[in-house]
């Protein structure tokens, strides 16, 4: 039986630390694994100690090249998706992901959906020599998310709210 606590570890393609934090396993369904991160959770961000000020729910899809962070107010992003390699689970208690720089975000106030950090993606692609197949998967995931966050597709419309209510 997997633990109630999951360690979430994001690294960059070169292996450097990006994010690292504990999360509570809320549920598993056909969309993936839902993890809750309450305010006050100690974390590491870009290799530095940090404390989460605003709670959130993370969806780790089973096979997707992304993760979805669902946020309450006052965060200005209602949904923040990191383009990342598919999750690699270790003993059901640790999930490893490689952050691929691109982000797709839906703004709370306007509903605007935007692609972010294309410059960082291009820089890291050249610096770390991203393979062509990785680039194709990352770009395809970003295109899909741009549509899904804007057209009312689940889990981005309402299904995440029941999980977010458990950590707010």
């Amino acid at each position: 039986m997997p633990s109630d606590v999951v360690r979430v570890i994001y690294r960059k393609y070169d292996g450097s630390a990006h994010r690292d934090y504990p999360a509570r396993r809320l549920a598993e369904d056909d969309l993936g694994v839902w993890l809750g991160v309450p305010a006050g959770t100690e974390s590491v961000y870009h290799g530095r100690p940090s404390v989460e000020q605003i709670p959130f729910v993370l969806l780790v899809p089973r096979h997707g090249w992304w993760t979805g962070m669902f946020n309450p107010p006052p965060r200005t992003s209602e949904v923040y998706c990191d383009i990342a390699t598919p999750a690699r689970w270790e003993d059901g208690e640790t999930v490893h992901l490689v952050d691929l720089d691109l982000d797709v975000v839906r703004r709370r106030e306007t509903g605007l959906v935007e692609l972010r950090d294309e410059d960082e993606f291009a820089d890291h692609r050249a610096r770390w020599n991203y393979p062509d197949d990785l680039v194709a998967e990352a770009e395809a995931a970003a295109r899909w998310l741009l549509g899904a966050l804007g057209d009312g597709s689940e889990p981005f419309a309402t299904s995440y709210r029941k999980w977010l209510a458990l950590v707010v």
Side-chain angles (χ1 to χ4, degrees):
M1 183 70 151
S3 169
D4 284 347
V5 177
V6 171
R7 182 174 174 201
V8 180
I9 302 173
Y10 286 90
R11 297 215 173 269
K12 288 295 192 174
Y13 191 77
D14 71 341
S16 61
H18 183 53
R19 296 194 75 190
D20 186 332
Y21 54 88
R24 184 168 50 104
R25 185 186 310 270
L26 301 175
E28 292 186 43
D29 61 19
D30 59 328
L31 298 168
V33 180
W34 294 90
L35 303 171
V37 180
T41 298
E42 293 183 8
S43 63
V44 175
Y45 187 62
H46 291 291
R48 296 187 180 104
S50 182
V51 176
E52 298 298 331
Q53 300 300 309
I54 301 171
F56 64 91
V57 167
L58 183 73
L59 173 60
V60 180
R62 297 200 187 291
H63 306 290
W65 283 73
W66 56 275
T67 57
M69 182 189 301
F70 300 89
N71 305 302
R75 256 204 193 120
T76 59
S77 60
E78 179 182 12
V79 182
Y80 194 106
C81 294
D82 286 297
I83 304 301
T85 58
R88 181 176 60 81
W89 287 89
E90 182 182 330
D91 298 327
E93 296 180 12
T94 302
V95 61
H96 298 270
L97 302 135
V98 176
D99 180 272
L100 297 173
D101 317 310
L102 295 172
D103 304 303
V104 179
V105 179
R106 184 172 68 215
R107 296 287 166 209
R108 181 176 312 287
E109 294 299 318
T110 63
L112 175 70
V113 178
E114 59 187 343
L115 178 62
R116 300 186 55 200
D117 298 330
E118 291 174 279
D119 55 341
E120 183 182 356
F121 180 73
D123 177 53
H124 288 169
R125 177 183 184 182
R127 184 182 324 165
W128 296 329
N129 197 27
Y130 288 174
D132 290 342
D133 59 336
L134 180 138
V135 171
E137 293 287 359
E139 290 175 341
R143 281 191 305 276
W144 179 79
L145 286 165
L146 282 166
L149 267 70
D151 70 8
S153 294
E154 292 296 357
F156 309 108
T158 60
S159 66
Y160 70 88
R161 292 182 182 153
K162 65 184 170 189
W163 308 119
L164 190 55
L166 297 177
V167 296
V168 174

